[in-house]
Amino acid sequence: RKQRGDPPNLDALPSPLPVQIIDLLLAPELSPGGLVLVMGAPGSGKTTTASATVVSRLIKYGGLAYTVEDPPEHPLNGWHGHGYCAQTSVIGADKDAEAWAKSLKGALRSQPAATPSILFVGEIREKGAAEVALQAAGNGFLVIATAFGADIPSGLDEFSKKMCPEKNLLLASRFRMALPMQF
């Protein structure tokens, strides 16, 4: 995919979201952490919407965001208002089944104290990555991740299948919202 020149934000998406959805994505109640899943089919705008959420939250609240993507689709690296985004690619994702989990663990070790933190995961594909993302959601990160799913129930089902069954209680307690990319 060809990368856009400017990072997206929620006020200028190619397919605008309803104002009520934007308000939910920017709600201060999400700042202490949790999991937000942006779900849909390939090409539905999941990554653009998730990236715009990261940028818009950094502009509104400041803080620090980390991205873990393969490959990065939008230019998010750098300052957005008073917030900073450190964008990373997953190294060796095609050869190492645990590459995503390793990349996510690196971001977890970088969390500054008393600073709003966001972790953007561009598609959770493996068990280890799902479990680390869920751990981050309970450790003060607002985890914004994309996932395949035709609707909210099927997307949550697919996400939960990537974890050990005993982690479903953690998922229920750390889950904040799902955004289907069909309105």
Side-chain angles (χ1 to χ4, degrees):
R1 294 184 188 172
K2 185 178 179 188
Q3 213 179 55
R4 293 173 39 161
D6 296 325
N9 68 60
L10 291 172
D11 293 328
L13 288 172
S15 298
L17 295 173
V19 69
Q20 297 89 341
I21 301 291
I22 292 173
D23 289 346
L24 288 171
L25 290 169
L26 295 178
E29 292 83 3
L30 295 176
S31 293
L35 176 66
V36 173
L37 291 174
V38 181
M39 301 179 211
S44 64
K46 299 182 304 290
T47 301
T48 300
T49 302
S51 297
T53 302
V54 170
V55 170
S56 296
R57 287 192 68 84
L58 287 173
I59 290 168
K60 185 167 185 168
Y61 298 109
L64 187 58
Y66 301 95
T67 74
V68 179
E69 306 168 82
D70 180 34
E73 294 183 30
H74 297 281
L76 303 180
N77 202 55
W79 290 98
H80 304 281
H82 293 291
Y84 187 82
C85 183
Q87 191 169 25
T88 61
S89 286
V90 178
I91 308 284
D94 55 341
K95 298 177 186 102
D96 181 0
E98 289 295 311
W100 281 84
K102 290 176 188 173
S103 295
L104 289 167
K105 286 177 185 173
L108 289 180
R109 288 190 288 271
S110 305
Q111 184 181 21
T115 300
S117 299
I118 301 170
L119 176 61
F120 169 52
V121 184
E123 199 64 53
I124 294 186
R125 300 176 184 160
E126 61 182 44
K127 175 185 174 183
E131 291 181 354
V132 174
L134 193 58
Q135 175 188 350
N139 289 346
F141 278 94
L142 174 59
V143 177
I144 301 170
T146 62
F148 289 116
D151 52 33
I152 291 173
S154 66
L156 286 172
D157 185 53
E158 282 301 311
F159 185 85
S160 71
K161 286 179 183 175
K162 291 180 174 70
M163 297 180 296
C164 301
E166 56 272 6
K167 301 272 183 178
N168 283 331
L169 218 70
L170 284 177
L171 175 58
S173 69
R174 295 175 182 176
F175 176 73
R176 298 295 176 261
M177 79 182 281
L179 178 61
M181 295 310 304
Q182 306 108 6
F183 294 101

